[in-house]
Each structure stands twice: as C-alpha cells, then as structure tokens.
C-alpha cells in the first residue's frame, strides 16, 4: 500500500488546508508538512523500486483488469520523487513570495490538490484512471491560475482553461475508442490485448486522439499556445510548480502510452512524433528569442525543451528513451529553478520586463552565479546536467542515422544559449535604467534556500551523472520491455481477492491473451481467436 | 437490414450525430466569442460521450444484473463499463464547464469584453520585440 501515499498525503493535506481556511499560517505549515511527507514517501517508493523492480497494488482488492491498478516502475517512482522535491522547494519559496490574497483564496489547498493529481497520474496503471487524475490536476491548476484575481490572471486563465479542455476531450474520446477496440483500459492488459493488432484503424484513431491530447498537455507544436499565454501571470511559486510539473505529466503520459499501449515503431506514429518534436524545439526557441519578459522567455523555452524529450521517445531506441527520461528529470529541476530565480530578479529590480531592469551583477553577484548554473545547464553547457541530457538525445539520433534531427537539436541548444545570454546581458550586465540602487531591493532568504538547493542538485547530477544515467538505462529497459511491469500487475492482481490469473506471455510461454472476462463485454470480430490456455 | 460487420442502424445514427455535434461545436468555438466557445465545448463534450457509448457496442441485451449467489451474469448482458465511463466524464465535465462559465462571467466584468481578439491583458500587443 506504499503506492497510495503519494496520492493520499497531498489530497488529505488539501482537505486539512480547507478545514484551516481562516488561518493562512496553519495552511502554510500544512502545505510544507504535506510536501515533506510526499518527499519522504517518494524516497521510500524509489528505494523499493530500485531494489525489487516494479511494484503494483490493486485498489479495493479487485483483481486487474477490473480494479484500478497502481504501478510504479523506475520512471513513475522517479517522477514522484522529483514531484516531492519540487513541492518542498515551492512550499519554502512560497513563504516569502505568495501574496496574502492568493493565500486567502486557497493557494495552499489547491497546490496540494495539484500534487495529488500529478502523483496519481504518475502511479496509475489504468488509462481511464489517468484521465481522472489529469482532471484533478487540471481543475486544481485552473484554481491556482485565478487565485490572484487580477485582470491578467483572468485573461490568461481563460486561454489556459479553454485550450486545455479541448485536449481533455480528445483524451476522453481516445480512451473511449481504445476501450471499444480492446475491451480493457488497464495498461498492462492493453499491452497484451493489443499485441499484433497495432495496425488496426480503431487502434490508430485512438492513438491519434491520445497523441493530440498528451501533445497538447505537454505543449507540443502546434498545440502549445496556452502555455506562453498563461505561465507568466500567476505568482512565481505557482509558475515554477506549473513549469516543473504540468507539461511533464503530458510527456510522461506520452512515454507511457506510446511504449506500453501503442507501438511507436509504426511509421505513422514515429514520424509524427519525430517531426512534431523537431518543429516544437525550433518554434519554442524562436518564440523565446522574440520575448523580453523573463518568465515569458522561460515559458517558450519549456516548449523547446519538451521537443527534446518527445524526440527521445520518437527515436524509439533504448538510448533515445534513456535520453528522454534523463532529460525529464534534469529539466524539472532546472526549469523550476529558473522560474524561482525569475521571481528574485523581479523582486530585486522591480520588474520582469528586460527593457526596464538591469544592474544585478553589480549589486547581487551571487544571484548572477545562481542564475548561470541552471541557465547554462538548460543550454547544455558541460559539465552541468543539461549537457548529458542533450548528449544522450543527440547520440541516440546519430546512432539511428537521423543526422538532420541531430543537427536541429544542436542548433536549438545554441539558440537556447542566446536566450539565456539575453537575460544575462539585460538583467545582470547592463546598468539599471533607474540607477544602481534600483537593482538592490531586498529579497527574503527563504527565496534563496530552494534556489541554492536546486542549483546544487543540477551541479551534482552534472558532475556525478553515472548513477543517474544508469538508473535511466534501467528505467528505459523497463519501459521498452514491460514484462516486469506486467508481472508486477499480475502479482498484485493474484494477491487481490478473486485471484484471477493474468499471465505475461514471456512468463507463461502462451500467446498474449487478456485476463478472463466474466461479463464478455466486447465481441471482437477482427482480433485473433482466443488461444487455449494450458493452465485452465 | 443487415449491415456489414455487425453494425446496427443505431450506430450509424449515433456516428452521424457525433460528427454533427463535433462539427457545429468546432464552428462555434472558432467564432471568436467566449460564450460561443463554451457552447461549442459543451457540444463537443457531448459528442465525446456519445462516441464512447457507441464504441462500447450497442446491443439489445439485458441489463447487466448478476443473479444472487453467482459471480457472473447467466445470459448475455449489455456492457455497463462504457456507461460508467460516460457517467464519470459527465460529472467531471459538468464541474469543469461550470468553472469555465464562472470564469467567463468574471472575465467579462473585469475586462468588459468577451471577444477573444480584444483580450490582450496577459499578452499586450506591444509585448516582446522592440517595445
């Protein structure tokens, strides 16, 4: 039942925050405590997963595929771990940053609900359940978007809500079509049921719907417009949380669905992802070049970096996925840190518009160092973590002889460096238009604590990349060869009350077959005839 | 009238209805006004629900009731799962759409417009570049 904690802890903290509605102080403490609890639970999960392989649990003791499965392999566990880290960083940063109005309007409760939704999406093994968790995190993010209540927040929220709801509907339709074609929604079961049926029209249309849905959630070209329209308007704490987690849930769902459920080696799927990700990288980085607002520049860079992660999946080799997974982990730390630093830049100089600020290097040189670490890491300068992430992706592209894509990836790295040096030149190097003292407004130490911690993590991952890359290799292997994942679900299912069998083809030597269905819900005119099961 | 692949007439009717709802929904969403956008969204969400219903196969089977003392139904029954999915989706959709409606209402009072082209608070026209 270890797997329930990353969902139960944040959601119960959210409820406690609602009970303590009239006391922002108590809510603040609860938010920090809940985030810390999430971090501890996530460490427990990843230790166990690295030790024993994937773990699974059946909710309510219903066997798979009827009950809801929670599964954690290394990828899920790592994502939950990083969610815990970011949650704690944002909770601490929020003490000094989140305005009193936002706190009164429920910032803390919504943050915890968002974390619950994010973790739920990471650990669920059922695709409809994933849809539900997406809704939980979506509605919480809607709330966080508007708690500020200003004109800009409302305007941004309208665009964010409107465009995200389209993606949600595509997700729902895709899930419905998938159920119609396969008769199951459990991802391990789907993997077995869909074996050898990947070319069918119904499967393809479901894949197209889900690709659009996850692509829009991940801010892939051409469905990214909600992101730069909204990420710069809420409080910096919320921005950082969103930038770290929300698009990455989309990337995670894409990796999950397009390895275990759908077969990415189908040329139509692979080429769409490959060229889609290349265009995403280029469009994102060019969009950033045209911006002069710190958080908007960073928002466009999220889009461009998402391109790298999807590219790693699209190459669809073990090395490509290692790159994608390593990139995910690295990017969350670096991007959240850059948003947090953008907040300190705004506080110190009075604005986030690059044309109105400057002079920080003279007054706050340490902030400059703290900015350079994640900024150079984002651009992929060795020896920081971003270098290894980009190196793995580019190596994977070269290995598959996709030279043009590799060239694009290198080029986008250089353009990222250009954007980062733009922030550096404008905010740190040039003189502040309002005189030197205008750049020295006070910023609380609580703001620096998470920034320093995340920067140290970037450096640590960069200098000590070997264990992280090894974990990413193990994780990519589990994702591409989901036998261990399926076996974990089967074990959990057997442990559940009715004890129906649910064999992996590799384990039992019989052809792939869905778990026995007492209701016979779907007749499947095109599917293969049910093979005789020697075990029954 | 027997149709190929075991398709029923009702499935064809529903397929046309889904197409019609999705098309008119998309048309309204592109009108550039928030209220029309919301109505379009509601139409497409209904189209999605009906698509799930149809994808779950339409049969004239019995309601899915399991007799006392049994684990499985004795006769062929309708599949209850798509309906459960739709029910979940309707509840979630209802919540999301009421939030969206409240948001549009509040936005209208704050910004004084529901025309999307005029909503430039978060992204002013002179933002970025050489402002």
């Amino acid at each position: 039942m270890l797997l329930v904690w990353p969902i139960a802890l944040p959601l119960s903290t959210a409820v406690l925050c609602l009970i303590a509605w009239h006391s922002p102080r108590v809510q603040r403490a609860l938010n920090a405590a809940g985030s810390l609890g999430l971090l501890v639970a996530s460490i427990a999960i990843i230790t166990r997963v690295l030790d024993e392989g994937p773990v699974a649990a059946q909710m309510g003791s219903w066997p798979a595929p009827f009950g809801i499965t929670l599964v954690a392999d290394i990828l899920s566990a790592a994502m939950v771990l990083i969610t815990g880290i970011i949650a704690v960083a944002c909770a601490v940063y929020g003490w000094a940053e989140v305005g009193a109005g936002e706190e009164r309007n429920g910032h803390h409760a919504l943050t915890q609900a968002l974390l619950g939704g994010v973790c739920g999406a990471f650990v669920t093994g059922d695709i409809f359940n994933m849809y539900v968790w997406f809704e939980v995190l979506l509605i919480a993010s809607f709330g966080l978007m508007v708690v500020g209540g200003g004109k800009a927040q409302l305007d941004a929220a309208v665009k964010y809500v409107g465009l995200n709801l389209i993606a949600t509907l595509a997700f729902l339709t895709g899930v419905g079509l998938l159920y119609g074609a396969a008769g199951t929604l459990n991802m391990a079961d789907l993997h077995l049921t869909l074996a050898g049926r990947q070319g069918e029209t119904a499967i393809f249309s479901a894949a197209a719907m889900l690709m659009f849905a996850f692509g829009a959630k991940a801010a892939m070209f051409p469905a990214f417009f909600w992101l730069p329209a909204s990420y710069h308007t809420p409080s910096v704490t919320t921005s950082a949380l969103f930038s770290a987690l929300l698009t990455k849930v989309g990337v995670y769902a894409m990796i999950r669905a397009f390895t275990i459920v759908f077969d990415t080696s189908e040329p139509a799927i692979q080429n769409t992802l490959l060229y889609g990700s290349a265009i995403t990288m280029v469009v994102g980085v060019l969009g950033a070049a045209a911006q002069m607002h710190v958080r908007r520049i960073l928002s466009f860079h999220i889009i461009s970096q998402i391109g790298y992660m999807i590219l790693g999946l699209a190459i669809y080799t073990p090395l490509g996925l290692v790159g994608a997974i390593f990139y995910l982990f690295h990017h969350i730390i670096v991007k959240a840190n850059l948003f947090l630093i953008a907040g300190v830049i705004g506080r110190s100089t009075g604005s986030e518009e690059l044309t109105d600020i400057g002079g920080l290097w003279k007054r706050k040189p340490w902030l400059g160092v703290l900015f350079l670490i994640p900024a150079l890491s984002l651009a992929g300068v060795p020896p920081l973590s971003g270098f290894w992430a980009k190196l793995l992706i580019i190596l994977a592209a070269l290995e598959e002889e996709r030279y043009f894509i590799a060239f694009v990836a290198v080029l986008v790295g250089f353009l990222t460096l250009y954007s980062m040096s733009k922030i550096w030149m404008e905010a740190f190097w040039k003189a502040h238009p309002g005189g030197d003292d205008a750049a020295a407004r006070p910023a609380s130490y609580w703001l620096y604590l998470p920034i320093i911690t995340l920067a140290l993590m970037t450096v640590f991952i960069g200098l000590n990349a070997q264990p992280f890359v090894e974990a990413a290799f193990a994780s990519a292997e589990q994702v591409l060869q989901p036998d261990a994942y399926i076996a974990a679900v089967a074990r959990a299912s057997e442990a559940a009350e009715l004890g129906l069998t649910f064999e992996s083809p590799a384990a039992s030597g019989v052809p792939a077959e869905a778990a026995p269905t007492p209701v016979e819900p779907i007749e499947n005119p095109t599917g293969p005839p049910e093979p005789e099961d020697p075990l029954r | 009238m027997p149709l190929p692949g075991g398709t029923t007439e009702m499935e064809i009717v529903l397929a046309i209805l889904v197409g019609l709802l999705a098309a008119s929904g998309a048309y309204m969403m592109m009108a550039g006004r928030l209220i029309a956008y919301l109505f379009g969204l509601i139409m497409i969400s209904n189209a999605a629900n009906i698509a799930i219903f149809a994808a779950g196969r339409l049969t004239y089977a019995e309601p899915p009731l399991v007799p006392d003392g049994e684990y499985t139904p004795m006769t062929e029954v309708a599949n209850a799962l798509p309906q459960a999915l739709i029910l979940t989706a309707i509840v979630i959709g209802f919540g999301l759409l009421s939030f969206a409606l409240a948001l549009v209402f509040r936005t209208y009072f704050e910004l004084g417009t529901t025309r999307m082209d005029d909503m430039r608070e978060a992204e002013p026209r002179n933002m970025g570049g050489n402002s």
Side-chain angles (χ1 to χ4, degrees):
Chain A
M1 286 291 108
L2 191 61
L3 291 176
V4 183
W5 287 107
I7 302 171
L9 270 174
L11 288 184
S12 37
T13 314
V15 173
L16 290 176
C17 284
L18 289 178
I19 293 173
W21 183 257
H22 293 291
S23 170
R25 260 164 182 278
V26 176
Q27 288 189 37
R28 221 182 272 181
L30 280 170
N31 188 4
S35 304
L36 212 57
L38 177 62
L39 182 61
V40 172
S42 66
I43 292 172
I45 291 178
I46 196 150
T47 326
R48 176 134 170 234
V49 168
L50 284 175
D51 217 34
E52 301 174 12
V55 284
Q58 288 296 124
M59 293 302 98
S61 290
W62 287 90
F66 308 112
I68 287 167
T69 314
L70 299 184
V71 206
D73 59 356
I74 298 178
L75 177 59
S76 299
M79 295 307 289
V80 174
L81 172 66
I82 197 87
T83 307
I85 294 173
I86 297 298
V88 173
C90 285
V92 173
Y93 192 88
W95 286 340
E97 202 272 333
V98 177
E102 296 191 26
E103 280 194 321
R104 266 199 311 277
N105 285 340
H107 168 87
H108 297 297
L110 287 167
T111 303
Q112 289 294 325
L114 179 88
L115 293 173
V118 168
C119 290
F122 287 148
V123 296
T124 185
D126 181 289
I127 202 154
F128 189 78
N129 194 234
M130 190 189 259
Y131 162 78
V132 175
W133 289 120
F134 265 80
E135 300 304 284
V136 172
L137 74 90
L138 203 59
I139 193 79
S141 70
F142 290 173
L144 280 172
M145 209 64 155
V146 295
V147 284
K151 281 185 183 182
Q153 277 97 344
L154 284 169
D155 181 20
V158 166
K159 291 161 190 170
Y160 178 78
V161 171
L163 294 176
N164 266 295
L165 285 182
I166 300 178
T168 294
L169 288 175
F171 191 173
L172 179 64
T173 316
V175 169
L177 292 177
L178 196 58
Y179 180 75
T184 177
L185 290 170
N186 185 299
M187 286 196 267
D189 196 18
L190 276 169
H191 179 79
L192 303 176
T193 312
L194 294 185
R197 291 180 56 194
Q198 292 285 348
E200 283 176 30
T201 318
I203 311 287
F204 255 148
S205 23
M209 282 297 199
L210 291 182
M211 191 190 287
F212 171 78
F214 298 149
K217 301 276 180 198
M220 232 182 126
F221 176 85
F224 62 80
F225 293 96
W226 56 270
L227 194 153
S230 59
Y231 270 26
H232 60 293
T233 59
S235 67
V236 176
T237 311
T238 307
S239 275
L241 199 65
F242 281 13
S243 71
L245 299 176
L246 293 192
T247 45
K248 260 56 80 180
V249 181
V251 176
Y252 166 85
M254 188 85 100
I255 292 179
R256 195 52 96 200
F258 285 87
T259 51
I260 193 165
V261 180
F262 303 111
D263 181 8
T264 303
S265 56
E266 290 279 342
I269 293 179
Q270 184 167 26
N271 286 332
T272 316
L273 285 178
L274 211 52
Y275 294 105
S277 61
I279 300 173
T280 309
M281 290 194 287
V282 175
V283 168
V285 85
L286 292 182
Q291 300 299 325
M292 289 303 273
H293 181 279
V294 180
R295 270 196 278 168
R296 265 175 78 83
I297 295 176
L298 296 175
S299 301
F300 272 102
H301 276 297
I302 299 178
I303 299 165
S304 137
Q305 309 286 315
I306 290 294
Y308 281 97
M309 296 169 216
I310 304 286
L311 177 61
L313 167 68
I315 295 169
Y316 206 56
T317 56
L319 192 61
L321 266 163
V322 170
I325 292 166
F326 189 86
Y327 214 113
L328 256 176
F329 202 82
H330 134 80
H331 177 79
I332 291 178
I333 296 176
V334 166
K335 186 54 86 178
N337 203 5
L338 281 171
F339 269 84
L340 296 180
I341 292 167
V344 179
I345 292 178
R347 293 231 147 185
S348 308
T349 59
S351 170
E352 284 178 59
E353 284 293 341
L354 286 177
T355 42
D356 305 340
I357 61 175
L360 275 173
W361 182 243
K362 225 172 190 173
R363 284 307 169 118
K364 298 194 171 177
W366 280 108
L367 183 63
V369 174
L370 285 174
F371 168 77
L372 278 181
I373 292 170
L376 295 179
S377 180
L378 189 78
V381 173
L384 297 159
S385 58
F387 168 70
W388 303 109
K390 282 200 169 59
L391 184 71
L392 285 166
I393 301 264
I394 292 167
L395 273 182
L398 290 176
E399 211 180 65
E400 285 293 288
E401 303 186 347
R402 299 198 183 270
Y403 300 115
F404 179 68
I405 300 269
F407 171 72
V408 172
V410 175
L411 184 73
V412 170
F414 278 112
L415 289 172
T416 310
L417 198 56
Y418 161 74
S419 268
M420 290 303 127
S421 53
K422 181 167 78 183
I423 299 182
W424 171 258
M425 293 303 291
E426 298 282 335
F428 290 90
W429 201 245
K430 82 165 195 257
H432 196 293
D436 277 354
D437 288 338
R441 291 168 215 221
S444 158
Y445 285 111
W446 288 117
L447 299 177
Y448 285 103
L449 186 64
I451 293 177
I452 294 170
T453 315
L454 292 178
L456 286 177
M457 286 171 118
T458 314
V459 175
F460 179 75
I461 297 177
L463 296 178
N464 190 22
Q466 188 65 27
F468 292 93
V469 174
E470 271 167 15
F473 260 103
S475 172
E477 207 169 285
Q478 284 177 0
V479 168
L480 279 177
Q481 295 293 332
D483 294 336
Y485 183 97
I486 292 165
V489 176
R491 274 198 308 276
S493 182
E494 273 164 31
E497 204 174 10
L498 292 177
L500 296 179
T501 54
F502 188 83
E503 295 285 333
S504 129
S508 66
V510 292
E513 186 213 16
T517 347
V519 188
E520 288 294 332
I522 297 287
E523 34 176 330
N524 171 17
T526 43
E530 290 237 315
E532 288 252 329
D533 191 337
L535 299 176
R536 262 179 290 139
Chain B
M1 179 180 67
L3 291 161
T7 316
T8 62
E9 293 91 334
M10 202 59 205
E11 276 171 353
I12 295 175
V13 173
L14 286 184
I16 294 172
L17 181 63
V18 167
L20 216 61
L21 276 173
S24 15
Y27 179 78
M28 289 189 76
M29 288 168 95
M30 287 183 277
R33 286 186 308 277
L34 277 182
I35 300 294
Y37 186 91
L38 265 189
F39 283 0
L41 208 58
I42 294 172
M43 281 181 163
I44 294 190
S45 82
N46 284 327
N49 289 340
I50 297 174
I52 299 174
F53 185 53
R57 306 295 193 280
L58 303 167
T59 54
Y60 291 107
E62 300 288 308
L65 298 174
V66 182
D68 227 2
E70 297 286 337
Y71 277 109
T72 53
M74 307 307 285
T75 54
E76 190 175 309
V77 296
N79 186 358
L81 198 91
Q83 296 167 35
L85 298 185
I86 296 168
L87 204 59
T88 317
I90 289 175
V91 173
I92 291 175
F94 187 75
L96 290 178
L97 286 169
S98 20
F99 176 85
L101 192 61
L103 181 65
V104 168
F105 188 70
R106 179 72 195 269
T107 310
Y108 174 66
F109 276 99
E110 290 280 336
L111 305 183
T113 179
T114 58
R115 295 194 70 82
M116 292 179 197
D117 288 343
D118 300 336
M119 298 176 54
R120 303 296 300 227
E121 279 297 327
E123 297 173 285
R125 279 180 212 281
N126 62 1
M127 197 176 211
N130 312 310
S131 57

